[in-house]
Amino acid sequence: MHLLIADDHMLFRSGFKLLVSQLFPVAELFDAGDANEAWDVLNADEEFHLVFLDLAMPGMNGTAGVRRFVERRPSVPVVILSAHTAPEEIAECMGLGVRGYIPKSSSESVLRNAVELVLAGEIYVPRHAIDQILTEGSTGGADDFENLPENNPLRQLTPRQRSTLSLMIEGLSNKEIARSLGLLESTVKAHVKVILRKLSAQNRTQAALIAADLGWPRRLRTWSS
């Protein structure tokens, strides 16, 4: 398994490379200090399984650089590494087709889970940004919910209810959901009650199963940071 780590800060790059090697001992790691070097390394080997890109390194030119990597090597999943955690910025990158966005403040467990998700063909989105992603439908350029049949109950959920349901599926309690979404626990309880009613579910577990049967996008799964 070949992984490329591209970041212009040598100290961070070295530490991140060491961490990835510990989490994924079978991986062969390559690194680059700017976008052009990363592109050269990527083109020298057809077997890369994942590329980590620092959003702010030289040569990226912001999202223009992201688009370049995604469009020219669509078979290689791109994961953004960034110190910026604004939901709007994350949503923009996800809309360009990247497979994940990992804040540099993330824990080891988040990194491991994110990489495993991406390598399995899914998408990693930081939990705090999922509401923005769901609202804009920018996980791959298509609105997953609008593509569902008009009579599908998932289409009757509001963006806030969808983000609540997503965290319910991950097994979070009402208190944890409230903290993640910046809501009052009483507000979350009200959302859960409406979700159960709209899905004709008796409890949270049944709601998760029904959502899956109705076509809930698996690629919207998130992991706690």
Side-chain angles (χ1 to χ4, degrees):
M1 179 170 65
H2 292 182
L3 308 181
L4 171 60
I5 300 167
D7 190 287
D8 61 317
H9 292 94
M10 184 178 297
L11 186 60
F12 173 83
R13 188 169 75 244
S14 298
F16 187 78
K17 187 175 181 180
L18 176 61
L19 177 58
V20 172
S21 68
Q22 293 172 344
L23 295 176
F24 302 95
V26 300
E28 185 174 355
L29 304 179
F30 300 78
D31 63 280
D34 58 51
N36 291 330
E37 184 182 357
W39 187 246
D40 290 340
V41 173
L42 186 61
N43 284 333
D45 192 325
E46 295 294 329
E47 299 298 325
F48 276 100
H49 297 84
L50 188 150
V51 176
F52 295 100
L53 292 180
D54 174 26
L55 193 60
M57 68 180 170
M60 282 295 287
N61 297 318
T63 55
V66 176
R67 187 186 302 275
R68 173 190 179 193
F69 279 89
V70 171
E71 292 183 350
R72 294 189 182 182
R73 289 296 297 274
S75 63
V76 182
V78 171
V79 172
I80 298 298
L81 294 173
S82 180
H84 302 289
T85 60
E88 295 80 7
E89 185 169 310
I90 296 174
E92 182 179 5
C93 287
M94 301 306 294
L96 293 174
V98 305
R99 307 302 296 176
Y101 193 109
I102 302 177
K104 290 185 176 181
S105 58
S106 299
S107 65
E108 291 184 20
S109 61
V110 167
L111 173 61
R112 179 190 297 109
N113 290 332
V115 171
E116 289 176 347
L117 274 177
V118 172
L119 291 176
E122 298 190 38
I123 285 177
Y124 172 76
V125 182
R127 177 162 289 154
H128 76 276
I130 192 170
D131 195 42
Q132 181 85 15
I133 301 297
L134 286 171
T135 300
E136 297 187 3
S138 57
T139 53
D143 190 329
D144 296 288
F145 297 98
E146 289 301 320
N147 289 333
L148 295 172
E150 289 189 8
N151 61 349
N152 190 309
L154 292 178
R155 292 194 59 175
Q156 309 307 314
L157 300 177
T158 66
R160 180 65 76 183
Q161 289 164 0
R162 291 170 185 169
S163 59
T164 300
L165 176 57
S166 179
L167 299 182
M168 288 170 57
I169 291 172
E170 291 298 325
L172 270 69
S173 66
N174 288 343
K175 181 178 293 186
E176 291 170 326
I177 293 173
R179 185 165 55 246
S180 295
L181 298 181
L183 302 173
L184 294 174
E185 187 174 354
S186 59
T187 302
V188 173
K189 289 180 179 178
H191 283 317
V192 171
K193 184 177 181 180
V194 173
I195 291 168
L196 295 180
R197 176 174 56 79
K198 288 184 176 180
L199 297 184
S200 299
Q202 299 299 316
N203 52 53
R204 301 161 79 96
T205 300
Q206 189 179 32
L209 294 174
I210 291 174
D213 288 340
L214 291 172
W216 179 263
R218 292 180 68 247
R219 61 204 188 99
L220 292 180
R221 289 177 57 190
T222 62
W223 291 84
S224 177
S225 55

